């Protein structure tokens, strides 16, 4: 690979997604933002979409606007299903947080497997996934099997297979590991779980908009995911949940809110959930926040997940090659799978001074993400990150290491609060 | 009472809250909006607050803005606690929907009363409250006692008392009934439940910002409530939850999300909730939606709940007097408590043609709220509804009835979808 800056510029010139960059705010300043996998950038259309909802629909349309708002959760759901997740219309719903959605589907799935007393999750999965599994298991007297994963290479399919038997009700797993970026094999895990009669509940937070997840093609049963990372829906934007159509009527989520009710405004005496995906809804959805989600989801659908994934792989390969050439000599180690076919869109590097390096980089206009205790996560977002951005960021990274300027930063991470 | 329009104008001129009207969008057009108890109007400050969060904090500050966003849920919580709910700082948290918050606190409360097998709710309470009680009872093998209420007069304290015994774990009750506007006696119900060792979980959706609830003074243990009605937080705005400080560490909510975790960014192996109110948080809070909640909550706190309640009572009295004089002769009946001290800020009228009347009123610039099967709910919001607005709305209402123009409207309510 040609590691010159000119080669990176050349690749940008040939990038079929290059035009999307201008559709995000802040891309004309010189911040090298490599944390789109934590909080995606703001689409330039978002303020106008919000103004439309706030000033036209809310301020002027008042309560009458509910005739259009009522369909928002499924309209964005269908957009995500067809444009991003490889699912079918009527299989995806937007609303609540990823954590609440995970809880609802996990309880529903465990209820659908009566007599089974084990939940499986990955010991290196994102905290909220592990904690929610633990909470549901504790409430139901179930056992948790935490499958170990290599924090750099991800979950070994053979290790997972060894944890599966007919006691397992549900497996909760991230399609892209939050720390290493390691990709799970959605089809193989789904099939292995199905062989023992278990359901898999996928967390797509680091996958949606970054890699094709092809939920229908892979036979996935259940999934949830975040919209504020690669989908650019804004801080704390409402999450999505997916339930395969054929499963929907068999599943009963535990929070019997009025937005899951058949003939909602009849306000009848007993809870009687609608047959479709809306049965997994609970309370009134956050309309303002959903307007921002819709803008972000539409951009990803327009760009196309296959093209985004291809560019994401290429950006990652460049990053790994530059890390090998420039950073490894200074004690940095790759903490993601080396094979780009086994990674999502982010690359993680390990160094004992990771927190000090993160601070030094931020002060030099590079925004990575620190993950305790010793990881620097670099998440180029193919919608708006250029090859030269990766080159420039890695160049600044090597200069920090070469000068040792990071040694002057505090070693303890200050509390975010 | 002088029922002339001039008298209403005179009262507006003397209204100490009159200046707040100009701080809401749409108050310079001639819509008589009497549905602020369903969706409050938009404060004129809201677009700028949203723009600040979106264009400054998100677009420019990017992920670094989490250092301020992380405190939003408790900052607005404290504002509501002190300015609106009569609670103490550290007792209120904003996030999730009212339904999800109700579920979390209900499960936590039921867990805190082991060995008890009954949940009590009101048969005429808002659907989501009844459904969530039913769902939690079903999941735990508990029994629901649905206490009957007079749909017009509200819950009779003696009827509730008869339902309380030492089998009862939790009572779920609205402080202001959604249909009739009937006020419950928060202190008396709380004390009666405590006498049998039960907890009361209040739904303050129709009370917060309309009447003083004085949670600390009334000894309330638990509450949830909506921010998009009298608090003007916007469609589907995140809800609030309240847990009395002394109870917080005894309660464990069921959705073990990472926003309830002590030292959240250590991402430790086991769920270990913070001791304070944040233990009732779950996922990443919806930052954009919360910005709108903060504006609305601040306006209510500035106006003062006592002044709002006094004006709300006066608006209701005028409405009832005009209904007696003008509408009752046409077959309309009062479907709220007649005593203003027993009402929240809305007044409900019954008529067999309620749905047709609602449509006819909307076409004549009056926006009420229909509640199946035969109720027209009129919710003047003391922050922006004038006495002349009530007078004009009732005047249009009597003209509709006098001309019978409503008879020409469809009798079946069209589906909102």
């Amino acid at each position: 690979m040609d590691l010159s800056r000119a080669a990176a510029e050349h690749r940008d010139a040939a990038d079929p997604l290059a035009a999307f960059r201008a559709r995000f705010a802040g891309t004309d300043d010189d911040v090298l933002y490599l944390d789109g996998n934590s909080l995606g950038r703001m689409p330039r259309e978002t303020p106008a979409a919000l103004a439309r909802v706030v000033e036209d629909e809310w301020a002027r349309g008042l309560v009458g606007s509910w005739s259009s708002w009522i369909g928002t959760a499924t309209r964005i759901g269908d957009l995500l299903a067809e444009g991003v997740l490889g699912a079918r219309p009527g299989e995806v719903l937007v609303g609540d947080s990823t954590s609440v959605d995970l809880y609802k589907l996990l309880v529903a799935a465990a209820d659908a497997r009566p007599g089974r007393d084990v939940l499986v999750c990955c010991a290196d999965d994102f905290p909220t996934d592990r904690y929610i599994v633990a909470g549901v298991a504790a409430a139901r007297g179930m056992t948790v099997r935490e499958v170990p994963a290599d924090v750099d290479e991800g979950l070994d399919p053979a290790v997972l297979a060894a944890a599966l038997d007919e006691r397992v009700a549900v497996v909760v797993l991230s399609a892209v590991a939050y720390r290493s970026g390691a990709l799970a094999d959605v089809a193989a895990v789904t099939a292995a779980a199905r062989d023992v009669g278990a359901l898999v509940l996928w967390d797509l937070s680091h996958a949606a908009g970054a890699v094709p997840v092809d939920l229908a093609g892979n036979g996935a049963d259940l999934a949830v995911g975040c919209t504020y990372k690669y989908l650019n829906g804004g801080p704390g934007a409402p999450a999505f949940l997916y339930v395969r159509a054929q499963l929907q009527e068999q599943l009963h989520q535990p929070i019997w809110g009025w937005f899951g009710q058949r003939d909602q405004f009849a306000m009848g005496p007993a809870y009687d959930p609608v047959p479709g995906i809306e049965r997994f809804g609970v309370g009134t959805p956050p309309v303002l926040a959903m307007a921002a989600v819709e803008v972000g989801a539409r951009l990803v659908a327009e760009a196309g997940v296959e093209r985004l994934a291809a560019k994401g792989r290429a950006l990652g390969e460049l990053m790994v090659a530059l890390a090998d050439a420039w950073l490894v000599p200074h004690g940095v180690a790759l903490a993601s799978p080396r094979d780009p076919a086994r990674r999502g869109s982010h690359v993680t590097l390990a160094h004992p001074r990771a927190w000090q390096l993160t601070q030094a980089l931020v002060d030099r206009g590079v925004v990575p993400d620190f993950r305790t205790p010793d990881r620097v996560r670099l998440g180029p977002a193919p919608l708006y990150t250029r090859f030269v951005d990766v080159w420039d960021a890695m160049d600044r990274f090597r200069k920090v290491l070469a000068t040792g300027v990071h040694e002057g930063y505090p070693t303890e991470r200050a509390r975010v609060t």
Side-chain angles (χ1 to χ4, degrees), chain A:
Chain A
M1 191 185 299
D2 181 347
L3 296 185
S4 68
R5 194 174 192 281
E9 283 174 351
H10 184 76
R11 295 176 78 172
D12 286 323
D15 174 12
L17 298 175
F20 282 93
R21 177 173 168 84
R23 294 171 68 181
F24 288 86
T27 47
D28 43 10
D29 64 27
D30 64 351
V31 172
L32 301 171
Y33 189 61
L34 297 177
D35 207 5
N37 57 326
S38 182
L39 175 67
R41 277 191 183 275
M42 189 195 77
R44 288 194 197 274
E45 294 168 55
T46 301
L50 275 169
R52 199 160 52 239
V53 169
V54 170
E55 305 201 43
D56 297 347
E57 297 175 14
W58 175 16
R60 270 188 284 280
L62 290 164
V63 74
S65 294
W66 268 111
S67 60
S68 64
W69 294 334
I70 200 86
T72 309
T74 49
R75 186 178 67 240
I76 308 177
D78 287 349
L79 170 64
L80 288 171
E82 296 187 277
V84 180
L85 303 173
R88 289 161 289 235
E91 293 189 322
V92 177
L93 187 76
V94 174
D96 293 320
S97 66
T98 312
S99 298
V100 169
D101 282 340
L102 189 77
Y103 175 84
K104 291 188 293 188
L105 294 194
L106 178 56
V107 172
D111 279 346
R113 291 294 179 271
R116 293 177 176 236
D117 69 340
V118 171
L119 299 176
V120 170
C121 70
C122 176
D124 195 48
D125 212 334
F126 190 73
T128 219
D129 300 71
R130 293 183 280 109
Y131 302 161
I132 281 173
V133 167
V136 169
R140 305 168 68 96
M142 299 176 83
T143 300
V144 178
R145 285 188 195 150
E146 280 207 355
V147 179
D150 184 304
V151 295
D152 304 338
E153 290 292 323
L155 186 61
D156 181 338
V159 174
L160 177 64
L164 297 180
D165 60 32
E166 300 198 346
R167 286 178 58 192
V168 176
V170 191
V171 178
V172 172
L173 204 59
S174 286
V176 173
Y178 85 104
R179 196 140 45 177
S180 65
L183 263 179
D185 184 333
V186 173
V189 170
T190 297
R194 196 165 286 158
D195 280 347
V196 299
L199 291 161
V200 182
L201 169 45
W202 290 100
D203 184 339
L204 306 179
S205 292
H206 283 271
V211 293
V213 286
D214 193 12
L215 294 174
N218 286 323
D221 289 316
L222 302 164
V224 299
C226 174
T227 66
Y228 54 75
K229 299 177 184 291
Y230 293 106
L231 297 175
N232 309 299
F240 64 85
L241 60 82
Y242 156 86
V243 180
R244 189 162 56 85
Q246 295 88 331
L247 265 182
Q248 290 172 7
E249 283 204 62
Q250 301 166 39
L251 294 186
H252 303 273
Q253 59 100 344
I255 314 180
W256 294 7
W258 72 313
F259 265 74
Q261 174 76 351
R262 197 192 301 261
D263 202 3
Q264 177 183 5
F265 290 96
M267 301 195 167
Y271 181 67
D272 175 22
V274 292
I277 192 71
E278 287 162 287
R279 75 199 277 119
F280 301 98
V282 179
T284 313
V287 172
L288 308 191
M290 309 250 284
V293 173
E294 189 159 10
V295 172
R298 211 173 281 288
L299 275 169
V300 169
E302 183 185 337
V305 174
E306 292 290 351
R307 292 200 300 177
L308 290 166
K311 182 175 170 191
R313 272 193 305 275
L315 290 166
E317 282 189 85
L318 175 60
M319 191 171 268
V320 169
L322 292 172
D324 283 342
W326 296 346
L327 311 186
V328 168
H330 293 286
V332 166
L334 180 65
S336 291
R338 181 164 287 279
D339 177 359
R342 296 202 45 243
R343 279 200 313 262
S345 252
H346 69 271
V347 170
T348 304
L349 302 173
H351 188 280
R353 294 280 180 268
W355 173 231
Q356 291 164 288
L357 287 168
T358 300
Q359 296 168 83
L361 287 168
V362 168
D363 278 354
R364 282 148 190 82
V366 179
V367 183
D369 194 28
F370 168 73
R371 291 287 127 165
T372 190
D374 63 352
R375 296 288 194 276
V376 179
R377 218 171 52 164
L378 301 163
L383 266 175
Y384 49 77
T385 307
R386 295 171 301 192
F387 289 89
V388 288
D389 295 332
V390 167
W391 197 96
D392 289 344
M394 299 303 275
D395 182 51
R396 295 186 202 177
F397 203 154
R398 74 169 155 173
K399 284 172 181 155
V400 166
L401 283 162
T403 59
V405 68
H406 60 286
E407 299 282 359
Y409 284 84
T411 54
E412 280 291 301
R413 189 183 199 200
R415 294 263 325 173
V416 173
T417 48

